[in-house]
Amino acid sequence: MAELQFREAIRAAIDEEMAQDEDIFVMGEEVAEYDGAYKVTEGLLDKYGSKRMIDTPISELGFAGIGVGAAMNGLRPIVEFMTFNFAVLAADQIINHASKVKYMTGGQVNVPIVFRGPNASAGQLSATHSVSYDAMYAHFPGLKVIYTSEPADAKGLLKSAIRDDNPVLFMESEQMYGLKGEVPEEDDFTIPIGKAKVKREGGDVTVVAHGKMYHVATQAAQKLAKDGGVEVEIIDPRTVKPLDIETIVKSIKKTNRCVIVDEAHPFGGLAAEVGYLIQREAFDYLDAPVQRVTLPDTNAPFAKNLFDEWLPSPDQVIDAINTVTYRK
Amino acid sequence: MADKKKETEEVTFTPTGTGIRTNGEIIRSTELPEPTDKKHDELGLSDDDVIDMYDQMYLQRRFEERAMQMYQKGKFGGFLHLYMGQEAISTGTAYALNDDDDIITAYRDHGWGLVRGVSPKEGMAELYGKETGCSNGKGGSMHFANIEEHFWGGYGIVGGHIPLGGGIAFANKYKQNGRVTACFLGDGAVPQGALHETMNMSQNWGLPCIYAVENNGYAMGTAVHRHSTGEIVDRADGFDMKKMVMNGMDVFTVYEKMKEIATDIRENSQPWFVEIRTYRYRGHSMSDPMKYRTKEELEEYEKLDPVERMKNYLLDEDIIDEDKVEEIKSSVEDTVMEAIEFAEESDYPEKEALYDHMFAEDDYPFHT
């Protein structure tokens, strides 16, 4: 094990996979000469050269599509978006092409591509830079979606994503790149796509939280354990699609209560989907209606006070836990 | 404060010089360049080659005429965008390129499938949505594909496949396999940002790709001069890309020029932007009443029919006689009718096939 920053864990995954497969290359804005907008790909240009570390112009639609075409024709591209907020311009290539080419051609071609980059908000950046896209992409068949919360998960799942023969969206967070964690160093360390993890054990309430919200949930759980004696079990889905609902349901059968924390808007997001699945799979086990903590149904504001109001906070999670445990 | 200019003219959002309705008159980007004056042997084509070219062109024509009839009889649904009038482009290109060069196109793709190994049976069955279709009944008219023979398919989002063509060329350059990619698009895709983003990267990176516009005069019902400013081919200038305009009604011209371009790309690994001027005889799709163009205009272009032109060449040059022409036609007719019979007798995909071809693995846990 080594203590790595999130960005170093991602870099290690890319580096190890590139070292063992010549067909893997990285393409995106500022990935090569600038060493990555967030230094994720630092040093890889020197190591792999400009054939395999490719700076693109600011043309998300174009280079996402070139990546898809290259994947169809035998390569294994890692396409970096400076943020998934900018990748909305590339959505046609992800949604209409990467996810559908195999199906439309009756299975004649695979599209082994990874689209990766930061997702959701990163502080006061106002409306266009703060959206969480994991549930939106998870809506579409043919795509796998990963949004991890810790460096070890990031490394293991990114390696699996790069080895996967399907299009995978791998989401990160600008605010987590400096976060440190213990990461296995073996070249063959991978984590299977589609497996959730029980990250904190507790018997009173199940909290489902992924990505940056995992850390918000953890803060709430620590505070509650200290102040009120409520023991929270935290499940990190890690993979949004395919979703490991079994692990979540198993926990709910133990705790009988559930709060979902999601850094997306409330309508049709992961919280809505998980809430539906829980009522279908564990209706008789619930002692309280499932609660969710999400962004409000508004755009991201800039003003500090409004932004703090907008982003899910540990206190909101505690409120929701108090609701499902009838402590208020 | 400056005086405001008084607006006296009625506000319109049509191109300068055009009225509210142009009544079908095509003004710009449609003048046909002269066809090549070379005979087939001067182009390195044998008698057998040109007979086969005619055979292939006539097959594409007859396949679609019969498909249209079957569609009108309600034998199958979906869209049906017919290629009739543009067969010289598919045929000339397929002959000009190597068999392992890559071709990708938009949704007007039947002719491209037929020249790249989609059999008439597999093509017709795909139109019918049968499991024996070239895309197992999953793609339909707009998504013919035969990837084994380097035909990467038809694509239904206007302009969406252009970056895919660039990516296929990117992979060929990466692997240094010498293959050239030909990415065809309609004039309606020219104003899409995807083309301009892809051209920019292609020129910057020296991708071995031909971006070829099949300019048939209309983006659905909007004439080319109403949807695009300037001459289409001049889009290349902004990227310092090599360019050419060619006559798309003459198969020898397409063959000669595309071969020259492919040779240049193989030598220099630089992309080309090509405008191939042509005409589509049918509507955008089957539901198109074609009110945006005149009967006279259609008739003018029908006089230039690439299939008839090829037939007349074969007869004028005494390569074949009328009897042989009839023999070819009758053989093609048999092939097409057999294809229809095959399509009608084939099964629809099994219900379970709904979940096939979604992912590379067979055990993906689908959400329910």
Side-chain angles (χ1 to χ4, degrees):
Chain A
M1 300 283 261
E3 189 176 63
L4 296 183
Q5 288 185 346
F6 214 108
R7 63 162 62 79
E8 292 168 336
I10 295 168
R11 186 189 309 142
I14 295 171
D15 190 0
E16 286 170 17
E17 294 306 300
M18 283 182 84
Q20 56 83 30
D21 187 346
E22 288 274 315
D23 290 337
I24 298 169
F25 69 96
V26 176
M27 170 184 270
E29 294 151 3
E30 312 293 354
V31 297
E33 211 178 333
Y34 192 86
D35 271 332
Y38 298 103
K39 304 296 168 215
V40 170
T41 51
E42 191 168 29
L44 297 181
L45 174 65
D46 290 338
K47 188 164 179 184
Y48 294 105
S50 58
K51 178 185 174 188
R52 299 179 67 193
M53 291 300 300
I54 299 154
D55 280 324
T56 65
I58 303 170
S59 305
E60 286 85 3
L61 160 59
F63 71 73
I66 286 176
V68 175
M72 290 163 63
N73 196 13
L75 299 182
R76 303 185 78 84
I78 301 171
V79 171
E80 176 176 313
F81 295 122
M82 203 179 290
T83 140
F84 272 94
N85 287 281
F86 304 161
V88 179
L89 287 153
D92 173 60
Q93 288 304 322
I94 301 169
I95 294 168
N96 274 329
H97 293 88
S99 79
K100 294 181 169 65
V101 172
K102 184 180 177 69
Y103 198 73
M104 290 193 301
T105 59
Q108 292 184 56
V109 66
N110 285 336
V111 185
I113 188 167
V114 175
F115 299 101
R116 53 154 287 271
N119 181 45
S121 77
Q124 286 173 272
L125 298 172
S126 189
T128 57
H129 285 54
S130 306
V131 180
S132 185
Y133 289 94
D134 45 295
M136 183 191 90
Y137 285 112
H139 175 74
F140 297 98
L143 299 172
K144 298 181 183 181
V145 182
I146 297 164
Y147 184 20
T148 62
S149 61
E150 294 184 296
D153 292 338
K155 185 182 175 190
L157 276 159
L158 182 53
K159 283 167 73 81
S160 294
I162 296 167
R163 294 178 190 189
D164 202 281
D165 284 332
N166 305 286
V168 182
L169 289 98
F170 187 90
M171 300 188 173
E172 302 153 18
S173 165
E174 289 102 311
Q175 290 176 317
M176 292 197 295
Y177 280 135
L179 185 81
K180 287 181 176 172
E182 291 294 322
V183 179
E185 288 178 284
E186 309 87 66
D187 276 6
D188 58 355
F189 165 64
T190 58
I191 295 170
I193 294 170
K195 293 282 173 243
K197 189 175 182 186
V198 181
K199 291 248 174 115
R200 184 183 198 281
E201 291 196 21
D204 298 325
V205 56
T206 300
V207 172
V208 179
H210 71 310
K212 207 156 74 230
M213 290 301 108
Y214 165 72
H215 301 284
V216 172
T218 301
Q219 285 173 45
Q222 286 166 350
K223 200 166 175 211
L224 278 171
K226 205 170 126 197
D227 300 348
V230 174
E231 281 307 323
V232 176
E233 180 144 299
I234 302 181
I235 313 279
D236 180 355
R238 304 190 291 190
T239 303
V240 174
K241 185 91 171 284
L243 181 72
D244 177 5
I245 191 66
E246 287 81 10
T247 301
I248 296 168
V249 166
K250 193 176 160 199
S251 172
I252 289 167
K253 286 182 178 175
K254 182 174 81 175
T255 64
N256 311 108
R257 298 158 205 278
C258 183
V259 171
I260 306 152
V261 191
D262 186 15
E263 194 186 346
H265 300 292
F267 192 95
L270 182 69
E273 184 60 32
V274 171
Y276 163 77
L277 291 169
I278 290 169
Q279 67 80 29
R280 189 180 73 184
E281 304 293 328
F283 186 80
D284 289 339
Y285 292 87
L286 289 174
D287 286 347
V290 174
Q291 293 292 314
R292 67 181 177 187
V293 179
T294 66
L295 299 174
D297 195 18
T298 73
N299 291 319
F302 172 72
K304 179 77 169 69
N305 65 323
L306 292 180
F307 180 77
D308 290 344
E309 181 69 22
W310 180 81
L311 192 70
S313 65
D315 284 345
Q316 283 176 279
V317 177
I318 290 169
D319 274 355
I321 290 170
N322 286 339
T323 301
V324 297
T325 53
Y326 300 108
R327 284 154 42 97
K328 72 164 193 183
Chain B
M1 197 172 145
D3 289 340
K4 280 185 183 169
K5 189 188 164 202
K6 278 194 179 156
E7 292 296 342
T8 48
E9 286 175 18
E10 198 183 334
V11 172
T12 68
F13 294 102
T14 51
T16 312
T18 62
I20 293 169
R21 287 190 180 275
T22 48
N23 203 20
E25 188 191 355
I26 293 178
I27 295 169
R28 206 191 303 122
S29 285
T30 46
E31 195 179 320
L32 276 178
E34 284 298 307
T36 181
D37 53 12
K38 288 191 184 136
K39 305 276 186 202
H40 69 283
D41 44 358
E42 295 171 89
L43 293 167
L45 294 164
S46 69
D47 286 4
D48 285 345
D49 287 338
V50 287
I51 295 166
D52 181 57
M53 278 175 150
Y54 172 66
D55 196 331
Q56 289 203 27
M57 289 169 78
Y58 188 71
L59 171 66
Q60 293 167 64
R61 178 65 56 88
R62 202 65 196 136
F63 178 92
E64 288 201 318
E65 284 172 348
R66 287 295 188 194
M68 184 174 74
Q69 288 173 352
M70 296 303 120
Y71 186 85
Q72 284 163 337
K73 281 188 187 174
K75 298 274 190 179
F76 56 88
F79 287 147
L80 188 70
H81 306 94
L82 299 173
Y83 193 61
M84 285 184 226
Q86 303 180 214
E87 296 94 338
I89 303 174
S90 54
T91 312
T93 301
Y95 254 85
L97 297 181
N98 293 340
D99 289 346
D100 67 349
D101 284 336
D102 299 289
I103 293 175
I104 185 166
T105 190
Y107 47 82
R108 203 174 298 285
D109 60 353
H110 308 150
W112 288 105
L114 291 172
V115 297
R116 265 300 171 94
V118 172
S119 70
K121 284 180 178 170
E122 290 166 330
M124 196 63 78
E126 192 59 38
L127 295 181
Y128 275 71
K130 297 295 181 75
E131 65 173 0
T132 51
C134 58
S135 300
N136 297 110
K138 289 276 179 63
S141 163
M142 296 190 286
H143 305 107
F144 277 25
N146 182 7
I147 291 173
E148 206 174 283
E149 296 195 30
H150 302 268
F151 172 53
W152 294 88
Y155 290 85
I157 302 292
V158 173
H161 72 289
I162 299 168
L164 302 185
I168 290 163
F170 176 96
N172 288 337
K173 179 166 175 148
Y174 193 100
K175 296 190 167 185
Q176 295 175 285
N177 59 21
R179 278 153 53 187
V180 168
T181 304
C183 176
F184 288 85
L185 52 137
D187 54 283
V190 170
Q192 281 281 26
L195 175 67
H196 302 267
E197 294 188 17
T198 307
M199 284 173 75
N200 181 49
M201 280 178 273
S202 298
Q203 184 69 19
N204 238 353
W205 299 344
L207 299 187
C209 193
I210 308 167
Y211 298 96
V213 180
E214 292 187 73
N215 175 4
N216 63 21
Y218 294 93
M220 196 166 160
T222 304
V224 60
H225 67 277
R226 294 173 69 89
H227 71 62
S228 285
T229 186
E231 294 291 336
I232 284 176
V233 71
D234 293 340
R235 300 294 186 276
D237 297 347
F239 304 101
D240 203 19
M241 192 180 283
K242 291 179 184 175
K243 65 176 182 179
M244 188 187 289
V245 187
M246 69 176 83
N247 183 315
M249 306 303 277
D250 176 57
V251 69
F252 289 164
T253 305
V254 175
Y255 170 77
E256 179 187 30
K257 304 296 181 196
M258 292 300 260
K259 203 172 172 78
E260 280 172 22
I261 291 168
T263 302
D264 181 74
I265 291 175
R266 258 182 264 279
E267 279 170 14
N268 301 310
S269 192
Q270 281 293 322
W272 277 72
F273 186 65
V274 178
E275 182 187 344
I276 309 177
R277 292 190 181 157
T278 181
Y279 200 78
R280 76 165 139 74
Y281 292 155
R282 297 288 159 179
H284 165 68
S285 67
M286 292 299 289
S287 58
D288 177 356
M290 294 194 279
K291 282 185 180 162
Y292 49 83
R293 66 182 180 189
T294 59
K295 210 175 148 202
E296 290 73 31
E297 180 185 286
L298 177 59
E299 284 167 4
E300 275 305 302
Y301 278 96
E302 279 175 342
K303 286 181 202 154
L304 304 171
D305 184 353
V307 184
E308 281 296 298
R309 183 185 177 92
M310 189 64 187
K311 183 189 79 179
N312 292 335
Y313 179 89
L314 292 170
L315 293 171
D316 292 348
E317 297 291 318
D318 289 326
I319 297 167
I320 54 172
D321 58 17
E322 289 281 4
D323 288 348
K324 178 68 181 170
V325 169
E326 286 314 309
E327 195 186 304
I328 291 170
K329 283 187 170 181
S330 146
S331 158
V332 165
E333 179 70 9
D334 289 348
T335 303
V336 173
M337 295 314 288
E338 280 165 24
I340 289 171
E341 203 180 312
F342 174 80
E344 294 194 346
E345 285 174 1
S346 290
D347 291 327
Y348 287 107
E350 299 280 337
K351 230 161 127 184
E352 294 70 41
L354 190 61
Y355 288 91
D356 291 346
H357 312 131
M358 279 298 306
F359 289 95
E361 63 272 25
D362 293 330
D363 59 349
Y364 178 84
F366 288 97
H367 204 73
T368 55

